[in-house]
Amino acid sequence: MRRADLEAVGVLAGRLVRMHHEFDAKRFLDLANPEAGYARYFASEIDRNEVVLLVAVAKSLAGAEKAVQAIVGYAYARLEPRSYNELLDACGKLHDVYVDEAWRGRGVGSGLVREAVARLEALGAPRVVLLTAEGNAAAQKMFARLGFRTTMLEMTREAT
């Protein structure tokens, strides 16, 4: 990911936020402008050595002069320290993977995950951990195909 990509990635991140909110409106945030917030946040992360920010780019020809590129997916991962709260040793965490709806089922998500894992391992991560929404069966199947296993289940109870 480059700084020039931040606005386009912010748009995809906004879709990720809305998708999760649709899965469970009580659990997941409903932000007014997640696009700008994510673009700012990723701008603060982009130069950090422990961070992996990737984009998937689709190229198409727009006339004979030049190719047009569109960002169709992104991944955000980083090395995380030991967490006693999570009973989790230092690891790589895959925080976000999102692929534009029109590009799903073409291997874009798998490619982003594979590359994020490879980069985290190159940074010294002994394992990679991720969370996935309970209602996101397609993502869960992809993660399982890529070697991830279920280790924790989050449960939520609303206050009465």
Side-chain angles (χ1 to χ4, degrees):
M1 186 180 303
R2 301 168 300 141
R3 288 192 178 278
D5 301 331
L6 292 171
E7 185 177 339
V9 171
V11 170
L12 295 177
R15 292 180 193 165
L16 177 70
V17 168
R18 288 181 189 89
M19 180 182 76
H20 281 85
H21 184 72
E22 289 173 12
F23 284 139
D24 186 337
K26 291 181 181 178
R27 162 59 178 85
F28 294 103
L29 291 172
D30 182 19
L31 301 172
N33 185 7
E35 295 81 3
Y38 263 89
R40 277 191 310 275
Y41 178 68
F42 289 151
S44 74
E45 292 282 279
I46 202 165
D47 294 323
R48 300 181 74 145
N49 293 332
E50 70 274 16
V51 171
V52 175
L53 282 165
L54 304 171
V55 292
V57 178
K59 296 179 182 179
S60 64
L61 294 177
E65 305 92 46
K66 63 179 183 175
V68 175
Q69 295 184 350
I71 293 174
V72 299
Y74 81 96
Y76 165 54
R78 59 181 288 155
L79 294 178
E80 299 291 351
R82 174 179 285 176
S83 170
Y84 287 98
N85 286 337
E86 297 179 74
L87 303 177
L88 185 60
D89 210 346
C91 64
K93 269 201 177 174
L94 182 57
H95 290 285
D96 290 1
V97 176
Y98 185 84
V99 175
D100 181 88
E101 294 86 351
W103 286 88
R104 292 182 188 163
R106 301 183 193 195
V108 175
S110 295
L112 285 166
V113 172
R114 283 189 188 99
E115 184 63 22
V117 167
R119 291 190 187 200
L120 287 168
E121 289 176 352
L123 290 171
R127 75 195 49 77
V128 177
V129 177
L130 61 81
L131 298 172
T132 181
E134 190 274 334
N136 196 348
Q140 292 166 26
K141 287 179 187 175
M142 176 188 67
F143 296 136
R145 276 195 314 272
L146 295 173
F148 288 86
R149 68 186 192 282
T150 302
T151 54
M152 290 289 290
L153 295 173
E154 177 186 89
M155 299 177 76
T156 302
R157 180 183 183 276
E158 302 304 320
T160 56

